[in-house]
Amino acid sequence: MRIFVCIWFVLYWLCPVSRAGEIIENTRNELFSPDGKYCFVTYQKQNNQGGRQLYYTLSYGDKEVIIESELGVLIENQLFESALGIPNDPYPLWGANLTLLEVERRSEDNRWYPVYGERSVVHDSYNEMVLKFQKGAGEGSMEDGYDKRQVYFMDLIVKAYNEGVAFRYHFPEADNGLFLHITGEQTQFTFPEHTLAYYERWAQGPYELLPLSGWSDECERPLTLKLANGLTVALSEAEMVDYARMKFRLNEKKLNTLQASLYSSADVVLPYGTPWRVILVAEKATRLIENNDIILNLNAPCKITDTSWIKPGKVIRSGLNQKQAMACVDFAARRGLQYVHLDAGWYGPEMKYASDATSVSPEKELDMPELCRYAADKGIGIWICVNQRALARQLDELLPLYREWGIRGIKFGFVQVGNQYWTTWMHDAVKKCARYNIMVDIHDEYRPTGFSRTYPNLMTQEGIRGNEEMPDATHNVILPYTRFLAGAGDYTLCYYSPRIKTTHAHQLAMVAVYYSPVQFMYWYDDPSLYEGEPELEFWERIPTVWDETRALDGEIGEYIVMARRQGKEWFAGVMTNTEARTVSVDTGFLEPGRTYRLKLYEDNDKVQTKTRVSVKAETIQVGDPVILDLKPSGGAALWFLPVD
């Protein structure tokens, strides 16, 4: 059936009524995923100007996902137009007027072991197709004086995993040492009619479920879509470290079509590969969550030789004086946390150019080296926030100083993101931090594309509408299927804040549902608010990185059931939207033949504490269902400990 679908796509587009012309048959190539479910087809067609345009389609099983869509890169280099002898070419694009020279294929089936992650082992298995194109005069038609300068090359690299498909444009090294001024991409994603998208204008924005029409602006990535044929699709980006950020906009001329939209132009030197464009498909939305390692797989392996200093953990935010910070250190030591964070303002107004991040503001009663020593004696590390304004000006001075103080991590505040310059600066800054054994959390609009595999001292990042905005429960159960497909997210969990729009058990469950190796907790809270609430045992015991992760059940915007294992213990989080819901948790994920002690933390109005969360324990066998009656905006947390 899968082969039939790919053949059907080709025959369909060969139909003489096709407006873009006929397929050039010897340019058609297809690539299947190892399990045969994905079928990626590329081909060229004659365009109305007598040239050739590169297209692709994608199917999954017996269903279409992407119908005919353009591929290519927009380049504005006068050198190209002059050397190619086509100054009036109506398609000065590296997706049009290409000559296919050869196709290379290979397969890989590997496993690698991350420093930390949602899984202790990552499977990296794919089939690859590299299409090598020439742009310019063909053999025997070179004009005297141009020689090899008249011919240029581009590769389209496609990788098909069982988890998804990715492609990128690669420009090999050229004899004339060319640079590229890339102004955009032709890359399109044309979907079947009636597709709906979880539209989000900016990285910390709300979601709307919209058709592929009438958008007011571009849309963030990852972008999750629901197709009328029942499939759920996510479009994402990987290995974006020295390029311009991509978003999605509606194509003005082609219905149901998303256009890759770059923040700005990019100037690169050959050889060069653009970031990966990634397409994940699933018959059930929870499978997208379990397949998100494809983003890491598309990045380079770890480049840090000694990673022993990289320590995931849980964090409480402190006030900005010595007494408050020491109280948070004591609380962290008692409550199973590993870090205390001092947020913006410790060195002065963070937006002021005059604020010097090499010293504590005279207005703050804070001795940073002494605090680091006090914390270290209790096994606690200190994180600090530094605005990008100071980092850009003082980074080389700050890093050796912070290492001397004993700082364990920096939260980059109010970062500039999008254009090539600041994107490159950001990742170079993470590399510099690694030289000084300093971990990083990037805040505000930055979204991950897998760089934490290469430099795992980048522990987490914001780029999420979290508890700084206090979203409602419906937003919270959209996030696992959208933003968290890209990687770790710093949601800044709260517990006691009266501004939260969910139950306390909903907040409690987040640490199991939301992945962040450095998990910022008690964000708007204070140690004095703790009154011995027994359910906080869950936050005390739960780790932040995992050997195994299972998305057990859920629907986008309705509910999520997530289970994660470290060692022999499992922790699970269940969250619902603003509606009450009964959820049955299937415990078949537990190790067969074992008996478990389940501790269940759930909302209960009869409990006489200010948080109204009950704790109960029972013994269960593998496969015994756990029935949960969730309140509107509610949730539950579960801790499974093997008895034998």
Side-chain angles (χ1 to χ4, degrees):
M1 179 62 74
R2 290 186 290 271
I3 295 175
F4 169 78
V5 171
C6 284
I7 294 174
W8 181 88
F9 281 154
V10 172
L11 292 176
Y12 177 84
W13 295 113
L14 277 168
C15 179
V17 300
S18 175
R19 294 182 179 179
E22 293 187 352
I23 291 176
I24 304 171
E25 184 58 28
N26 62 2
T27 68
R28 184 178 67 83
N29 288 276
E30 60 187 32
L31 180 69
F32 287 92
S33 56
D35 63 6
K37 290 186 177 181
Y38 286 93
C39 177
F40 189 97
V41 181
T42 64
Y43 50 87
Q44 290 175 287
K45 278 186 172 183
Q46 296 289 343
N47 58 39
N48 295 331
Q49 288 75 27
R52 298 175 303 275
Q53 173 60 47
L54 181 61
Y55 295 95
Y56 79 103
T57 63
L58 178 67
S59 61
Y60 182 80
D62 60 351
K63 298 177 180 179
E64 61 182 6
V65 178
I66 306 289
I67 57 181
E68 184 172 87
S69 301
E70 291 184 7
L71 292 169
V73 181
L74 311 180
I75 297 174
E76 291 183 1
N77 281 26
Q78 290 183 351
L79 174 61
F80 291 146
E81 296 181 359
S82 175
L84 295 174
I86 49 172
N88 297 316
D89 182 2
Y91 282 87
L93 314 172
W94 285 52
N97 297 335
L98 300 173
T99 300
L100 180 61
L101 300 177
E102 62 177 311
V103 179
E104 295 180 352
R105 297 177 183 272
R106 70 185 185 97
S107 298
E108 292 286 345
D109 187 4
N110 302 308
R111 284 175 170 76
W112 57 279
Y113 304 90
V115 176
Y116 56 79
E118 295 184 82
R119 301 155 192 90
S120 58
V121 181
V122 178
H123 194 196
D124 185 10
S125 177
Y126 60 87
N127 294 327
E128 181 182 81
M129 175 174 67
V130 181
L131 292 84
K132 295 180 175 291
F133 294 98
Q134 169 185 305
K135 187 174 180 69
E139 183 179 353
S141 62
M142 292 184 182
E143 298 180 12
D144 293 339
Y146 285 110
D147 199 20
K148 292 183 179 179
R149 289 180 301 168
Q150 193 177 8
V151 180
Y152 302 95
F153 302 95
M154 182 188 81
D155 302 335
L156 175 67
I157 304 175
V158 186
K159 291 185 176 183
Y161 298 77
N162 292 342
E163 294 78 18
V165 173
F167 60 88
R168 78 187 322 173
Y169 308 101
H170 180 263
F171 301 91
E173 187 173 6
D175 290 341
N176 52 16
L178 284 176
F179 64 90
L180 301 180
H181 179 62
I182 299 173
T183 61
E185 293 185 13
Q186 287 176 264
T187 310
Q188 296 178 346
F189 306 87
T190 301
F191 288 93
E193 290 184 350
H194 311 300
T195 294
L196 299 175
Y198 283 89
Y199 174 79
E200 183 191 34
R201 285 183 54 212
W202 70 97
Q204 297 180 68
Y207 289 95
E208 296 179 81
L209 186 59
L210 299 178
L212 300 185
S213 62
W215 293 6
S216 62
D217 202 346
E218 296 178 327
C219 182
E220 263 293 354
R221 79 277 187 262
L223 171 57
T224 301
L225 306 102
K226 299 180 73 171
L227 276 58
N229 59 19
L231 296 177
T232 305
V233 176
L235 305 180
S236 196
E237 181 175 38
E239 202 178 18
M240 205 284 286
V241 296
D242 58 355
Y243 196 64
R245 180 204 62 206
M246 176 188 71
K247 286 189 178 183
F248 303 101
R249 62 176 173 81
L250 296 176
N251 186 287
E252 295 177 357
K253 298 180 180 179
K254 191 176 179 183
L255 294 176
N256 302 309
T257 298
L258 300 176
Q259 193 78 42
S261 178
L262 301 187
Y263 181 94
S264 63
S265 61
D267 292 291
V268 303
V269 178
L270 308 188
Y272 184 81
T274 65
W276 295 95
R277 305 318 182 201
V278 188
I279 309 170
L280 293 82
V281 185
E283 301 206 4
K284 186 170 176 57
T286 50
R287 290 294 297 166
L288 297 177
I289 301 169
E290 296 191 342
N291 290 339
N292 65 355
D293 278 337
I294 188 175
I295 304 297
L296 297 174
N297 278 331
L298 292 165
N299 281 261
C302 179
K303 292 186 177 180
I304 301 175
T305 303
D306 176 15
T307 60
S308 61
W309 53 274
I310 299 175
K311 302 289 188 183
K314 294 166 285 187
V315 193
I316 183 173
R317 184 175 73 155
S318 170
L320 299 182
N321 65 50
Q322 198 81 351
K323 182 178 179 181
Q324 291 172 320
M326 291 174 69
C328 281
V329 168
D330 295 341
F331 180 82
R334 290 194 305 269
R335 302 305 309 163
L337 309 179
Q338 288 72 44
Y339 298 107
V340 169
H341 172 67
L342 282 77
D343 208 50
W346 66 268
Y347 61 90
E350 64 173 329
M351 298 300 184
K352 297 289 186 181
Y353 184 83
S355 295
D356 180 4
T358 65
S359 60
V360 175
S361 169
E363 299 177 0
K364 307 296 180 185
E365 297 178 1
L366 189 62
D367 184 333
M368 197 69 75
E370 176 56 32
L371 175 62
C372 290
R373 285 192 291 271
Y374 179 83
D377 287 344
K378 292 179 176 287
I380 304 299
I382 299 296
W383 280 68
I384 54 176
C385 177
V386 183
N387 187 281
Q388 190 184 43
R389 165 162 278 194
L391 292 172
R393 182 167 53 95
Q394 298 182 286
L395 185 63
D396 291 334
E397 183 182 4
L398 296 176
L399 294 179
L401 175 65
Y402 291 170
R403 182 170 66 177
E404 180 182 341
W405 285 358
I407 298 297
R408 299 298 307 280
I410 301 174
K411 185 181 88 172
F412 291 12
F414 285 99
V415 298
Q416 296 189 55
V417 295
N419 68 31
Q420 183 187 21
Y421 175 84
W422 285 113
T423 297
T424 303
W425 179 91
M426 186 77 61
H427 295 103
D428 285 346
V430 173
K431 296 176 188 177
K432 287 185 177 181
C433 288
R435 296 176 202 156
Y436 292 90
N437 292 8
I438 290 177
M439 295 175 283
V440 176
D441 171 17
I442 301 175
H443 253 234
D444 305 298
E445 290 293 293
Y446 177 85
R447 281 197 164 174
T449 63
F451 191 66
S452 290
R453 179 186 180 186
T454 311
Y455 281 88
N457 63 309
L458 175 53
M459 308 298 291
T460 191
Q461 48 273 304
E462 193 177 16
I464 194 170
R465 189 176 185 85
N467 268 347
E468 288 185 344
E469 288 87 9
M470 293 296 177
D472 68 10
T474 298
H475 174 88
N476 291 342
V477 294
I478 292 174
L479 290 175
Y481 308 94
T482 53
R483 163 62 181 84
F484 279 98
L485 299 180
D490 185 5
Y491 182 96
T492 54
L493 282 60
C494 294
Y495 202 68
Y496 293 106
S497 173
R499 295 194 295 123
I500 60 175
K501 296 176 182 177
T502 70
T503 69
H504 288 88
H506 185 102
Q507 296 284 323
L508 195 71
M510 285 180 177
V511 73
V513 173
Y514 295 164
Y515 170 65
S516 184
V518 169
Q519 187 77 267
F520 284 73
M521 306 161 78
Y522 301 102
W523 186 250
Y524 288 119
D525 300 332
D526 181 271
S528 64
L529 297 174
Y530 174 69
E531 296 179 359
E533 288 78 15
E535 72 273 12
L536 285 173
E537 170 190 49
F538 187 77
W539 275 13
E540 176 183 347
R541 298 290 187 177
I542 192 171
T544 62
V545 294
W546 308 98
D547 295 324
E548 187 177 356
T549 291
R550 299 278 193 90
L552 300 179
D553 197 8
E555 294 292 342
I556 306 175
E558 296 182 16
Y559 69 105
I560 180 70
V561 182
M562 189 82 76
R564 304 185 190 265
R565 176 181 64 83
Q566 187 181 91
K568 296 181 179 180
E569 297 181 10
W570 284 87
F571 295 81
V574 183
M575 296 158 54
T576 185
N577 59 9
T578 54
E579 299 178 7
R581 189 179 311 276
T582 298
V583 174
S584 177
V585 179
D586 182 353
T587 61
F589 62 90
L590 299 171
E591 185 178 345
R594 302 198 76 154
T595 300
Y596 285 81
R597 181 170 179 259
L598 167 63
K599 298 200 77 173
L600 175 61
Y601 312 83
E602 57 186 339
D603 296 306
N604 188 335
D605 289 336
K606 296 180 180 179
V607 174
Q608 297 302 304
T609 67
K610 62 183 177 182
T611 55
R612 297 291 194 267
V613 177
S614 67
V615 182
K616 64 181 180 181
E618 60 181 295
T619 300
I620 68 166
Q621 304 295 321
V622 176
D624 290 347
V626 180
I627 309 299
L628 302 172
D629 292 319
L630 304 177
K631 295 178 61 177
S633 302
L638 301 89
W639 178 19
F640 300 89
L641 300 89
V643 173
D644 49 350

